[in-house]
Amino acid sequence: PPSPAVAARSLRASAYSRAVETARLKADNEMFLALCEQSLADLQMLITETPQGPVPYAGVPWFVAPFGRDSIIAAQQLLPYNASVAAR
């Protein structure tokens, strides 16, 4: 297994690459914009790299697992912002 430092660098790199691919939101209402940005950041934290590609995990906080139905729903909700998650 990789060292914690190597694993942290890898996680930051994959999060950065997903952030670059994610659509940028623009709104006049700063509170609405902050809400949307936080929601996207929260969804990004649930995405885990698997051999098949990025998958939104479900079951937090009791357990974390890639549930087919829940992962598909989350990926569909991400379509307008980052279609690469649903593409896999």
Side-chain angles (χ1 to χ4, degrees):
S3 71
V6 170
R9 274 196 300 276
S10 175
L11 286 173
R12 278 194 296 275
S14 66
Y16 176 77
S17 68
R18 273 195 303 274
V20 168
E21 295 172 353
T22 301
R24 299 285 181 251
L25 301 174
K26 191 172 183 180
D28 292 334
N29 187 319
E30 290 182 24
M31 187 177 287
F32 175 75
L33 186 59
L35 173 74
C36 291
E37 288 177 349
Q38 185 62 53
S39 297
L40 287 172
D42 292 346
L43 278 168
Q44 292 294 339
M45 288 186 355
L46 293 174
I47 296 175
T48 302
E49 291 295 328
T50 68
Q52 292 76 30
V55 175
Y57 272 31
V60 176
W62 297 280
F63 54 94
V64 178
F67 288 113
R69 178 200 65 199
D70 294 351
S71 297
I72 290 170
I73 291 169
Q76 285 179 331
Q77 291 174 339
L78 275 170
L79 275 173
Y81 309 103
N82 189 339
S84 68
V85 176
R88 308 233 158 141

